[in-house]
Amino acid sequence: MKLLLPAILVGSLLLQSCSTSTDSAVLESNTPALSEYFDSSGKDDQLSGGVKMVKINTPSGEFDVWTKRVGYNPSMKVLLLHGGPGGTHEGFECFDSYLPKEGIEYYYYDQLGSHYSAQPNDTSLWNIPRFVEEVEQVRKALNLDKDNFYLLGHSWGGILAMEYALKHQDKLKGLIISNMMSSIPAYNKYPDEVLGPQMDPKVLAELKQIESANDFSNPRYMELLMPNFYTKHALRMPLEQWPNPVNRMFSHMNQTVYVQMQGPSEFGIRGNASLKNWDRSGDLDLIKVPTLTIGGEHDTTDPEHMKWMAEQLPNGSYLYCPEGSHMAMYDDQKTYFAGFTTFIKKVDAERTATGNQQVHDL
């Protein structure tokens, strides 16, 4: 099933899914009362306010990673994979303004190497297969399964989410790929062919000169990038208005992990970066679970590519954020969360309706 979710149709699609393809009573029955949603009594993370340190096994030994549960819903649980690599869960903190009122349970999670988790000094750990195995161990520790487990990956987290789905989709109920393309070679073309030419030619020339000299520690590099690239394509707000969670995320970035996998350039993944040849475009048809791709008009990643991805996925849909950049959950917040929650609840209601029908048939 292919479904396009432009901003103007998000509300109507939610109503349509309630009144036609699914029973609205079923949809509402799967949203717990707030008293139940926020009740932590008897849960193993009650003492810590939802925080659980998960011990993971790696080729270099055991380490602790940080997770935090918000809310309770037995059929809708979302694990959030942050960007970077080497970023933190803090960039997702705006979810607190939207998901609780929708009754969706969600988990913040700092991947190994990130600020709230262990940060081993071992570069052999920063590779896709090991991160995929880490997510699987976290899933088990949090008791997530195919009847309730939605995985959302943003940016680098989107790469990780695709890789996880290709190996473990039998554990998933739904997948959300937020602001990430399925091909790094295609990702690299976008700033060269589209974003760069939008810049002042003098600014672009100076940035390219700094990059060609491999002079990324030059303060002039970020001095040029912040007003000419970040506030136009990463988060479309004046720097002084950037939300505190976003600023904390950037200040806590693990640069060792980031540079090894992403590289030092902000115009693509190049040089010796380990992700530079990553490409899963030819494997999208193998992901059978319901999947939502999200793209922003002003994104650092090509929104048309995210739309194309949804068309390749057997059960894909696309959410377009017309005011959004790479952090569309902030600069096109209402579109982002309306589409995201519509998708989660639609998948949940359809699964419930199918299960009820099977029971009725028996």
Side-chain angles (χ1 to χ4, degrees):
M1 178 183 68
K2 302 297 188 296
L3 176 63
L4 181 64
L5 294 178
I8 59 173
L9 292 182
V10 166
S12 62
L13 276 171
L14 178 58
L15 293 174
Q16 182 181 18
S17 66
C18 292
S19 61
T20 58
S21 62
T22 59
D23 186 343
S24 60
V26 171
L27 184 61
E28 291 303 319
S29 69
N30 288 349
T31 302
L34 284 180
S35 58
E36 180 185 0
Y37 179 81
F38 286 115
D39 184 5
S40 293
S41 58
K43 296 181 174 61
D44 61 3
D45 57 15
Q46 179 179 6
L47 180 66
S48 60
V51 171
K52 179 185 289 187
M53 300 301 293
V54 174
K55 193 171 293 296
I56 60 165
N57 294 300
T58 78
S60 299
E62 288 188 339
F63 300 98
D64 289 328
V65 298
W66 180 94
T67 69
K68 177 180 172 65
R69 176 185 58 82
V70 180
Y72 171 72
N73 187 318
S75 68
M76 292 185 282
K77 303 173 186 287
V78 184
L79 180 65
L80 304 173
L81 301 182
H82 61 68
T88 74
H89 75 280
E90 291 158 309
F92 287 126
E93 287 181 5
C94 60
F95 282 52
D96 289 347
S97 297
Y98 292 89
L99 298 198
K101 65 183 178 182
E102 300 293 344
I104 298 172
E105 179 179 338
Y106 55 109
Y107 290 81
Y108 294 124
Y109 157 41
D110 266 22
Q111 299 152 28
L112 185 65
S114 293
H115 186 71
Y116 286 76
S117 295
Q119 300 173 42
N121 185 22
D122 184 347
T123 58
S124 70
L125 294 170
W126 317 132
N127 62 81
I128 288 175
R130 198 217 50 82
F131 274 113
V132 170
E133 176 57 26
E134 176 184 323
V135 174
E136 174 62 0
Q137 291 184 47
V138 169
R139 178 197 69 80
K140 291 178 180 178
L142 299 179
N143 297 312
L144 309 176
D145 59 42
K146 61 183 178 62
D147 294 323
N148 56 40
F149 177 31
Y150 296 84
L151 185 64
L152 182 151
H154 175 259
S155 194
W156 142 251
I159 293 177
L160 183 53
M162 282 182 260
E163 290 286 344
Y164 181 88
L166 287 166
K167 186 172 183 180
H168 296 292
Q169 65 180 303
D170 59 317
K171 309 298 194 305
L172 285 170
K173 187 172 185 177
L175 176 68
I176 302 96
I177 304 166
S178 176
N179 308 88
M180 189 61 227
M181 298 163 66
S182 59
S183 166
I184 294 303
Y187 169 84
N188 284 340
K189 287 182 180 180
Y190 193 59
D192 288 342
E193 299 177 357
V194 178
L195 302 182
Q198 296 176 12
M199 281 188 176
D200 181 323
K202 292 181 179 179
V203 171
L204 181 61
E206 188 174 355
L207 284 167
K208 292 295 186 181
Q209 183 179 18
I210 292 173
E211 291 205 342
S212 63
N214 201 32
D215 189 18
F216 293 101
S217 62
N218 187 333
R220 180 65 174 162
Y221 187 61
M222 293 306 296
E223 182 182 321
L224 290 170
L225 279 174
M226 293 308 287
N228 294 288
F229 188 76
Y230 274 83
T231 58
K232 296 182 184 297
H233 303 294
L235 177 52
R236 288 174 61 81
M237 297 179 186
L239 284 173
E240 63 273 14
Q241 295 179 19
W242 277 25
N244 177 266
V246 175
N247 291 329
R248 282 188 280 113
M249 176 191 68
F250 278 113
S251 68
H252 292 154
M253 186 77 67
N254 186 324
Q255 292 296 329
T256 299
V257 181
Y258 183 85
V259 172
Q260 178 175 324
M261 300 185 73
Q262 156 83 27
S265 173
E266 294 302 319
F267 285 92
I269 298 177
R270 310 176 194 275
N272 296 322
S274 63
L275 291 174
K276 71 175 181 178
N277 295 317
W278 180 84
D279 192 334
R280 285 293 200 171
S281 291
D283 298 320
L284 293 176
D285 63 339
L286 301 177
I287 300 176
K288 311 293 186 182
V289 296
T291 302
L292 177 68
T293 66
I294 304 175
E297 173 63 28
H298 308 283
D299 207 334
T300 56
T301 56
D302 182 3
E304 284 298 314
H305 184 96
M306 268 83 85
K307 178 181 177 182
W308 173 85
M309 287 168 59
E311 294 167 352
Q312 311 312 304
L313 293 156
N315 200 359
S317 55
Y318 174 59
L319 174 64
Y320 170 63
C321 297
E323 301 300 324
S325 68
H326 198 55
M327 300 288 287
M329 67 280 287
Y330 284 95
D331 51 25
D332 201 352
Q333 204 164 74
K334 291 183 178 179
T335 302
Y336 188 98
F337 285 103
F340 169 67
T341 56
T342 295
F343 171 77
I344 295 285
K345 290 194 169 188
K346 186 172 187 294
V347 172
D348 186 66
E350 289 178 344
R351 178 75 67 85
T352 301
T354 300
N356 288 346
Q357 184 61 47
Q358 290 174 343
V359 171
H360 177 76
D361 292 343
L362 290 174

